[in-house]
Structure formats: C-alpha cells, structure tokens
C-alpha cells in the first residue's frame, strides 16, 4: 500500500517512514499544502491512505483534507495531530477525515486503523494498477494478463513488482528495491540475486527490447513502464 | 533522572519502532531540540515539538506548556 504523509516536521516523517515501511507500506512525504496537492494530482489513484497533520505551513490540514475529498471520495484520510480538543477532532472529521490520531502515535496503531477502515469499506482496499497488458491487484496479490489469466509469481517476484508498481513510470534504485522487497539492508543480498529475479520477472511479463516494460536504468536501477 | 537508554526504550514503546530505529529517532529529536531557543519559542513551534518530547517519556508523564522546558533540558542533558 502506498501512503502519502503530510507533515512539516522531518522527525515525524522519519518515524513514520521507518515504522510504516517495516509494516509493508510505501511512504511518500509532502511538507506543506501545495506540495501535497501536487503529489495527489500526479499520483491520483496510487494512494491508499493519506495522513495529514492539522498544523501545516501555508493553509492548514483541515483545508487540505477538504480539497483532497473533493478530488477523491474513497481514499482513507487520517489526521495525526497534537491537538486533543474535541472541537478540532470534530472539525477534522467533518472535513472528510476517516479517523483522528493524537501525537505521539504508534505506527502499529496507524496500521490497525487503516486496516479497520478497510474492513468497513472493502472497495477501498481493492487496489489495481495497470501496466502494459497486465493488471496488478495489490489486495488479492495477483497479476493478471490481458486474457485475465493469473501469472504465477514467486513471493520475491511479487514484492519486487509491488515496489516497482508503487513507483510506476519512475526509476527505482537497486538499493531501494533491495531494501523494500527484501525488507532489510542490501548488504546481505548477493548483487546478482536481484538480476536473477528481474530476469525471471521479465520473462513472465513478456518484456523485450521493443516494449521495454521493465526498463534498466543504467547505473541506477529499474523502471516499470505503464505503456 | 532518565538516561539515553530509557529515552530510546520509551520511544520504542510509544511508537512501535524497534530499539535500533528508536535510537535513530532519538538522535533526530535531540538535533531538533538543540536548535530551539526556549526564550523565543513560538506557540506553533511549541505545539510541533511537544509530541517529540512526549515520545521520549512514559505515556502517563504529564507534559504541558508549563513544564515542557524542564523535559527538554532533561533530554539534552542526558543524550549521550
């Protein structure tokens, strides 16, 4: 699941990034209202949840929440805020938020709340990303080809594809891929191990020089192209 | 008087992070607190750092705008 965290405090984001990544989330960060709106416009359907701090530089988080709701009725919005007062909580929920968590927070609580909201509205959990002739469903963990036949992937291939899909049309470094797909530091991964899995993945999705679906970005990493 | 180890343990308990990650967050909090001038701190900045301070102490610790500078000093004095 890809999440956008909007908070102008770097330590809070760092905490979220460390904690949520380990729980299998991919986290993007926006530091203020304008940056958040830009990211939501660009990656419109990619975010499963958006975490917003009430206090933001520029317009506040409540205004941002209203704006996001106008654009996307389904995405999960959770406020993370230092304000405990009932009035702020009610304002936030009335602005379109699904939940409100008080700082300091536990990443485990955020994870549990996202899952709880997803249980109530399973449509939100349905997250399909299309690339080339394939449909990748993050919820059911399946990859379907153009005939809607399931493409069998190994667990590591699925995780590699998940990381690439979450940054579709953007280059992902080898280090990022290793850290996220293997969920640990890249030091212990044999350098050529990733190449073997990429090669296998390419074979399964019919990559070739002409379609260049899973592109090598020389000296950096890989990029999954949507078309 | 709390020690660095206790701060890190509290961060881990309060946030759900592993100890190693909590230690990194503690270092970031210390850096953030070092930048603050307590005599000139704005209300917004105080709101921003309050959760970071609370993260370093057991969840039942009463920390508010009247006493938070005491807790900041405790962190800065025992961050090694």
């Amino acid at each position: 699941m890809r999440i956008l965290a909007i908070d102008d405090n770097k330590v809070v984001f760092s905490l979220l990034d460390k904690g949520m990544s380990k729980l299998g989330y991919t986290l993007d960060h926006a530091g203020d209202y304008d940056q958040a709106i830009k990211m939501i416009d660009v990656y419109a359907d990619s975010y499963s949840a958006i975490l917003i701090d009430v206090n933001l530089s520029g317009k506040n988080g409540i205004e941002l929440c209203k704006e996001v709701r106008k654009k996307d009725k389904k995405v999960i919005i959770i406020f993370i805020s230092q304000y405990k007062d009932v009035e702020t909580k009610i304002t936030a929920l009335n602005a379109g938020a699904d939940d409100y968590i008080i700082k300091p927070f536990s990443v485990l609580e955020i994870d549990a709340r996202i899952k709880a909201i997803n249980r109530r509205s399973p449509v939100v959990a349905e997250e399909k990303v299309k690339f080339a002739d394939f449909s990748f469903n993050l919820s059911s963990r399946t990859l379907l080809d153009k005939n809607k036949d399931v493409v069998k992937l190994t667990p590591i291939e699925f995780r590699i594809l998940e990381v690439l899909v979450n940054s579709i049309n953007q280059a992902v470094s080898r280090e990022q891929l290793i850290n996220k797909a293997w969920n640990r530091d890249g030091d212990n991964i044999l350098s050529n191990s990733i190449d073997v899995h990429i090669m296998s993945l390419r074979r399964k999705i019919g990559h070739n020089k002409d379609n260049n679906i899973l592109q090598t970005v020389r000296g950096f990493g890989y990029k999954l192209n949507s078309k | 008087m709390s020690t660095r180890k206790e701060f890190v343990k509290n961060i881990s308990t309060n946030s759900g992070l592993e100890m190693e990650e909590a230690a990194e967050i503690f270092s970031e909090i210390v850096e953030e607190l070092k930048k603050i001038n307590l005599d000139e701190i704005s209300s917004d900045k105080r709101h921003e750092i309050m959760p970071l301070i609370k993260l370093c102490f057991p969840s039942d610790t009463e920390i508010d705008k009247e006493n938070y500078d005491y807790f900041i000093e405790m962190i800065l004095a025992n961050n090694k």
Side-chain angles (χ1 to χ4, degrees):
Chain A
M1 269 181 130
R2 188 170 182 173
I3 289 181
L4 176 62
I6 306 147
D7 197 305
D8 50 9
N9 188 295
K10 285 181 183 168
V11 182
V12 173
F13 176 70
S14 181
L15 190 156
L16 276 170
D17 192 35
K18 288 178 198 301
M20 300 301 283
S21 300
K22 278 215 159 176
L23 295 170
Y25 295 89
T26 303
L27 214 71
D28 287 347
H29 177 229
D32 59 31
Y33 179 97
D34 291 336
Q35 196 186 359
I37 290 292
K38 275 183 199 161
M39 292 182 79
I40 291 162
D41 283 342
V42 174
Y43 304 111
D45 297 326
S46 305
Y47 295 121
S48 308
I50 299 179
L51 310 176
I52 307 178
D53 183 20
V54 171
N55 247 1
L56 288 176
S57 48
K59 287 185 188 174
N60 72 25
I62 303 284
E63 293 304 313
L64 177 62
C65 178
K66 287 179 184 169
E67 195 58 35
V68 174
R69 266 293 167 252
K70 278 187 208 163
K71 295 171 187 286
D72 191 335
K73 303 279 181 213
K74 290 189 298 182
V75 68
I76 296 170
I77 299 178
I78 299 176
F79 272 100
I80 45 171
S81 169
Q82 57 271 46
Y83 297 107
K84 290 180 184 171
D85 60 287
V86 176
E87 197 179 329
T88 306
K89 287 182 194 169
I90 291 172
T91 307
L93 293 169
N94 284 341
D98 296 292
D99 212 335
Y100 188 105
I101 296 175
I102 294 167
K103 291 181 184 176
F105 53 81
S106 164
V107 290
L108 302 175
E109 183 182 356
I110 293 177
D111 176 47
R113 297 215 187 200
I114 289 172
K115 285 176 178 159
I117 296 166
N118 268 334
R119 276 200 299 275
R120 289 202 302 270
S121 46
V123 175
V124 177
E126 186 82 359
E127 195 182 359
K128 284 182 190 167
V129 179
K130 293 194 172 175
F131 67 93
D133 289 329
F134 296 90
S135 172
F136 187 63
N137 191 318
L138 291 159
S139 313
S140 61
R141 301 178 71 82
T142 49
L143 177 67
L144 301 180
D145 65 16
K146 63 181 175 187
N147 300 318
K148 305 218 165 157
D149 290 330
V150 174
V151 179
K152 284 186 182 172
L153 299 176
T154 64
I156 191 65
E157 285 166 1
F158 180 88
R159 289 200 298 273
I160 289 172
L161 195 54
E162 188 177 24
V163 175
L164 292 166
V165 158
N166 277 322
S167 297
I168 197 152
N169 296 321
Q170 297 173 69
V172 177
S173 71
R174 288 173 67 90
E175 289 74 22
Q176 281 176 305
L177 206 50
I178 290 168
N179 286 340
K180 290 181 178 172
W182 272 263
N183 220 359
R184 57 179 169 154
D185 290 337
D187 296 348
N188 301 323
I189 309 294
L190 286 174
S191 169
N192 65 352
S193 174
I194 190 160
D195 301 321
V196 172
H197 293 296
I198 290 282
M199 201 189 303
S200 168
L201 199 50
R202 276 178 168 159
R203 201 169 50 244
K204 290 180 181 179
I205 61 176
H207 165 97
N208 59 45
K209 277 182 188 169
D210 295 329
N211 62 29
N212 207 15
I213 302 173
L214 210 172
Q215 184 185 340
T216 298
V217 181
R218 198 172 289 277
F220 184 74
Y222 300 95
K223 184 168 98 172
L224 186 70
N225 292 309
S226 58
K227 287 179 183 171
Chain B
M1 189 62 80
S2 299
T3 62
R4 185 182 196 282
K5 197 175 173 184
E6 284 165 342
F7 290 136
V8 170
K9 189 165 177 282
N10 290 331
I11 292 172
S12 174
T13 306
N14 292 334
S15 69
L17 295 182
E18 301 291 333
M19 289 293 277
E20 196 178 318
E21 295 156 345
E24 290 170 14
I25 291 295
F26 180 66
S27 299
E28 291 184 39
I29 290 173
V30 169
E31 288 311 307
E32 188 84 2
L33 296 182
K34 279 181 184 172
K35 294 180 204 161
I36 290 168
N37 179 345
L38 286 173
D39 296 328
E40 295 175 9
I41 190 165
S42 67
S43 168
D44 277 356
K45 189 68 187 173
R46 194 173 59 220
H47 270 300
E48 187 186 321
I49 61 162
M50 197 73 90
L52 304 182
I53 303 164
K54 287 183 177 176
L55 207 51
C56 302
F57 293 90
S59 56
D60 57 354
T61 311
E62 292 289 334
I63 304 174
D64 55 37
K65 61 182 180 181
E66 306 299 327
N67 64 12
Y68 76 103
D69 50 350
Y70 164 76
F71 289 98
I72 291 177
E73 281 164 15
M74 196 192 291
I75 293 170
L76 292 178
N78 299 284
N79 70 81
K80 300 284 184 228

